[in-house]
Amino acid sequence: MPPRFRVLAGPSYDSLSPLPVNTDSTDSSAAFTIKTPYFEGRIIGNIKGFVDDAGEVVTSKYFENEDRRKDGVTWSIQIQGRFLESISANDVMFGNTFDRPLKLPWGTAAALQFAHYIDPVLTEDLTGSKPWALSPAISTMPHITSMRHPRNSPLPSFNPIRPFVTEDIRPLLNGTTTPPSPPGLTTASKRKKYFEKEARRKAVTYGPDVVLHMDFCYGYFQFPELVLAIPGGITFDLKKYWDRQPVRRGLTVGRFVSEGKGPGQVFFAVQFEVPEYEEGQGPEPAADVEEEREPTEEDKKLAEDVD
């Protein structure tokens, strides 16, 4: 049977509900709503090759967008929201946390080297009793745009299947940086490079007057095979490292305030978990997909940088 997993979301790890995936809604009414004293927002997921509860493989029109298609995007978590209290951009982290030690496969060192290459500000502890890997959201998020919006007004609507293309963080930066907002941060690569420096992140403050729209989307995971494929021909069949226990927070995506190292206050969490199967009903290991994966535009850019 095709491998499947559940996607949950909520304001904390202990308060999670199903997250809408591949709804193809043209407005944000189908999104999952988060409202806490610290953060207000909406979350929606798109996963190419997602297997629903009926065992059917479904996808979304989101992946028909040219800019996401050429980058080989296979999954996306879109977040729209605002912080209800002022907080430094250096303290807001985005990444993965886990409840128990990981069964790390051969090749993990190469995968981590690649992860640090595409995300130089990544910090992690993957060998501890509760592993984690976190980066400042402003320098790791693939796509960010922002808008000034009255703090007492409802969040504006957005179209989940028409992801934004143009970066615009000027509304976030204007009036929140010292010195004033830098010019030219019109692409994700420029924004990520600029905010690699801690002092620049500390000069930016999130607050209730600015709404952020972020799209955390990548193409390294292949669905429904549940395979991780990174440039250089390295692939991992993730099911081989599944211990037949429910994987709680196996890939937990959330935003955290770091106090020292590791996760702290949770603003929200998105959790991927593998459901338990009856004996003999678990998914088959994925076929070798190394030769099936065509290099994406992102792979080509990375290869050029390495050369």
Side-chain angles (χ1 to χ4, degrees), residues 4-16:
R4 63 185 179 88
F5 51 90
R6 301 187 184 100
V7 188
L8 309 173
S12 69
Y13 299 140
D14 300 321
S15 180
L16 298 169

Side-chain angles (χ1 to χ4, degrees), residues 96-98 100-102 104 112 116 122-134 261-263:
N96 301 339
T97 65
F98 305 86
R100 58 175 183 258
L102 295 173
L104 298 174
L112 275 177
H116 282 281
L122 173 69
T123 57
E124 40 81 14
D125 177 10
L126 296 181
T127 60
S129 59
K130 292 188 175 182
W132 54 269
L134 301 168
K261 292 185 177 180

Side-chain angles (χ1 to χ4, degrees), residues 119-254:
D119 189 358
V121 293
L122 173 69
T123 57
E124 40 81 14
D125 177 10
L126 296 181
T127 60
S129 59
K130 292 188 175 182
W132 54 269
L134 301 168
S135 303
I138 198 169
S139 52
T140 194
M141 194 65 60
H143 302 281
I144 301 178
T145 192
S146 62
M147 64 179 295
R148 288 275 169 181
H149 193 70
R151 64 177 65 191
N152 295 323
S153 297
L155 292 172
S157 184
F158 69 95
N159 186 343
I161 63 173
R162 297 289 297 174
F164 61 92
V165 177
T166 303
E167 290 245 339
D168 187 2
I169 60 172
R170 290 173 299 174
L172 169 64
L173 299 181
N174 289 339
T176 69
T177 59
T178 306
S181 58
L185 299 185
T186 55
T187 66
S189 59
K190 291 179 180 179
R191 184 237 320 148
K192 291 178 180 181
K193 184 67 176 177
Y194 181 84
F195 287 111
E196 284 181 10
K197 293 187 177 181
E198 183 178 12
R200 291 173 176 172
R201 297 194 300 270
K202 286 183 174 180
V204 176
T205 301
Y206 300 122
D209 295 317
V210 175
V211 173
L212 301 173
H213 189 170
M214 300 166 283
D215 192 1
F216 190 78
C217 56
Y218 279 108
Y220 305 121
F221 286 99
Q222 299 181 25
F223 303 94
E225 297 89 356
L226 295 183
V227 166
L228 170 64
I230 63 177
I234 300 175
T235 61
F236 299 94
D237 181 354
L238 301 180
K239 297 183 300 304
K240 291 181 179 179
Y241 306 98
W242 172 44
D243 60 6
R244 299 194 64 81
Q245 299 285 334
V247 182
R248 304 296 180 185
R249 306 178 184 105
L251 179 61
T252 303
V253 184

